[in-house]
Structures are given as structure tokens and as C-alpha cells.
């Protein structure tokens, strides 16, 4: 299994629980997601389900996968009355759908894998997209992130680390990309939007955080 079991422990401890839809998800889906009633949306690594209310409000058929049994059971109960379908799946291994999706989204889930696993996921994403369907990726970590260069970690591949200390410690695999690496990963897709966000944090301690948001369409 490529799913980092650290996340099951995090959710069991009621940590990393977000309840409001992420602002970049809302804005990018409105601009590029071709939102309409009855559309099929798939979220990879839905976590605590922060984005689900947004798609319910859009009257979309929402599907999601996550590796955490704890979180999947909570979300099934919480959204039982809605057109919401959630499965416990390691999407790097068991991501198989007979239907196709108008929109597939991921916020900081796929990026918690090795380069090889990400490449496998992207093959599955392309196969699952409907004609002219789009994939929106959010908060994929950039190589400009201080942690990539400065924090103690075991190197899995040139772009992937498992951190011993710092912000990413205890979060399993963490993948970082520059523009060239993203474009190589998404060969066979057409970029409609690409944004590298670089934040210079001054307090409580100085650090640089950086991540990518992007929208692609299969060519």
C-alpha cells in the first residue's frame, strides 16, 4: 500500500480536521470546473471532507476516495442523505472506475506519494476523465519550500522525502516539484492554469512555503 498510514493515526487523533471548503478549490472550480447540476466529481484523498459541502451545494454527484478508514466512516454517516459516495481506497493501487468524471480534484493528497506512484495515479486519472474533463490539482508542494532543502529527511527519489523533523515530520511521503517536473509528469495533458504560490513567513519564525495550483485537460 502506498497510502501513508501516518494519516490514519492523524485522523484517529482528531488532527488536521478542516471543515470549510478550501478557497482555492472554490475559486478554481468556478473558473475552470464547468460546474453544472448533475455533473460527476471525484476527489482523490478527501481527508476530513472540507470540500464536500461545496459540491453538494452545486448539486453535483460527488465521489471520493481516501485511505483512512476512520475518516471514511465518519463522512459516510455525516453525508448519508446527500448524493455523496465515499470509499476507502488507496488510489495509487485500487483506483478503478467504470464510469467517467467531468471533474477530478485533489488538494495536497496525490503530492504525498513518490514520483513513481504519482505517475501511476495520473494514468488512472486520464482514463477516468470524461471527454473534455479536467483535473484540478491544489497545493502540490514546490521545490522552493524551505523544508525541501533544509529539513532532515530520508530521500525516496529526487523529488520525494520522508521527514525526520520540521513541519512535514509524521506525514509520510512528501513530493516536491518545479515547473519542469510538473510538465513532465503531465505530459499528454494540456495546462489551462499554472500558479506557483510562494509565501515568505516572518513570524513566529522565518520560513518560505511554496506550492502549485493548476488545471489540466487531457489532450
Amino acid at each position: 500500500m502506498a497510502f501513508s498510514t501516518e494519516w490514519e493515526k492523524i485522523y484517529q487523533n482528531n488532527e488536521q480536521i478542516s471543515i470549510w471548503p478550501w478557497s482555492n478549490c472554490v475559486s478554481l472550480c468556478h473558473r475552470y470546473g464547468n460546474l453544472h447540476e448533475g455533473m460527476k466529481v471525484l476527489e482523490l484523498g478527501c481527508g476530513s471532507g472540507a470540500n464536500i459541502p461545496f459540491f453538494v451545494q452545486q448539486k453535483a454527484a460527488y465521489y471520493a476516495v481516501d485511505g483512512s478508514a476512520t475518516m471514511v466512516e465518519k463522512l459516510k454517516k455525516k453525508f448519508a442523505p446527500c448524493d455523496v459516495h465515499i470509499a476507502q481506497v488507496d488510489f495509487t493501487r485500487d483506483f478503478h472506475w467504470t464510469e467517467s468524471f467531468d471533474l477530478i480534484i485533489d488538494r495536497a493528497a496525490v503530492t504525498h506519494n513518490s514520483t513513481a506512484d504519482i505517475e501511476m495515479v495520473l494514468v488512472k486519472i486520464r482514463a477516468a476523465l470524461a471527454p473534455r474533463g479536467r483535473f484540478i490539482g491544489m497545493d502540490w508542494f514546490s521545490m522552493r519550500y524551505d523544508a525541501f532543502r533544509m529539513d532532515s529527511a530520508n530521500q525516496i527519489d529526487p523529488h520525494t522525502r520522508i521527514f525526520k523533523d520540521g513541519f512535514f515530520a509524521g506525514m509520510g511521503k512528501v513530493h516536491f516539484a518545479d515547473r519542469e517536473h510538473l510538465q513532465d509528469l503531465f505530459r499528454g495533458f494540456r495546462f489551462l492554469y499554472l500558479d506557483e504560490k510562494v509565501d515568505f513567513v516572518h513570524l513566529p519564525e522565518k520560513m518560505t512555503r511554496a506550492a502549485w495550483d493548476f488545471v489540466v485537460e487531457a489532450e
Side-chain angles (χ1 to χ4, degrees):
M1 298 284 283
F3 171 70
S4 296
T5 56
E6 292 89 346
W7 284 97
E8 173 66 2
K9 297 174 184 176
I10 288 170
Y11 292 136
Q12 285 178 347
N13 292 332
N14 209 35
E15 299 171 349
Q16 298 279 349
I17 304 299
S18 302
I19 61 173
W20 301 108
W22 295 94
S23 59
N24 51 351
C25 177
V26 174
S27 60
L28 287 173
C29 286
H30 273 299
R31 286 180 63 189
Y32 294 101
N34 297 324
L35 298 174
H36 58 274
E37 184 175 345
M39 70 182 297
K40 289 186 177 180
V41 178
L42 172 64
E43 182 167 11
L44 301 179
C46 62
S48 59
N51 294 320
I52 297 176
F54 169 69
F55 291 107
V56 169
Q57 193 274 334
Q58 300 298 317
K59 297 182 179 179
Y62 174 91
Y63 295 75
V65 294
D66 199 273
S68 168
T70 296
M71 193 51 64
V72 167
E73 287 307 309
K74 287 182 178 179
L75 294 176
K76 282 183 176 180
K77 293 177 182 177
K78 182 177 180 179
F79 292 100
C82 306
D83 191 4
V84 169
H85 316 271
I86 306 172
Q88 183 194 354
V89 170
D90 177 351
F91 56 70
T92 67
R93 297 290 182 265
D94 306 313
F95 174 20
H96 305 289
W97 296 92
T98 56
E99 54 207 311
S100 56
F101 295 92
D102 303 295
L103 178 65
I104 300 177
I105 68 167
D106 159 53
R107 182 196 168 272
V110 176
T111 195
H112 279 281
N113 287 281
S114 68
T115 300
D117 284 331
I118 291 172
E119 289 175 336
M120 288 193 296
V121 172
L122 294 181
V123 171
K124 297 172 185 291
I125 286 172
R126 186 171 183 180
L129 282 172
R132 300 191 64 81
R134 293 176 176 179
F135 173 68
I136 298 179
M138 295 158 281
D139 294 327
W140 284 40
F141 305 117
S142 164
M143 292 170 68
R144 297 181 194 264
Y145 213 121
D146 275 350
F148 179 73
R149 297 176 289 104
M150 299 171 58
D151 290 350
S152 178
N154 293 324
Q155 179 173 315
I156 304 303
D157 62 49
H159 293 273
T160 311
R161 307 283 189 269
I162 295 179
F163 287 89
K164 301 176 183 178
D165 57 28
F167 176 77
F168 291 109
M171 294 189 185
K173 300 184 188 75
V174 187
H175 181 270
F176 299 84
D178 57 14
R179 179 174 178 173
E180 290 72 24
H181 182 55
L182 274 182
Q183 290 175 324
D184 182 57
L185 285 173
F186 284 89
R187 55 192 180 275
F189 290 83
R190 180 169 65 98
F191 276 88
L192 305 178
Y193 177 81
L194 180 61
D195 175 32
E196 185 179 18
K197 304 170 294 183
V198 182
D199 297 327
F200 300 101
V201 180
H202 294 271
L203 292 172
E205 58 182 288
K206 280 194 173 184
M207 66 178 297
T208 300
R209 298 183 302 199
W212 296 95
D213 287 349
F214 54 88
V215 182
V216 295
E217 186 177 77
E219 291 183 333

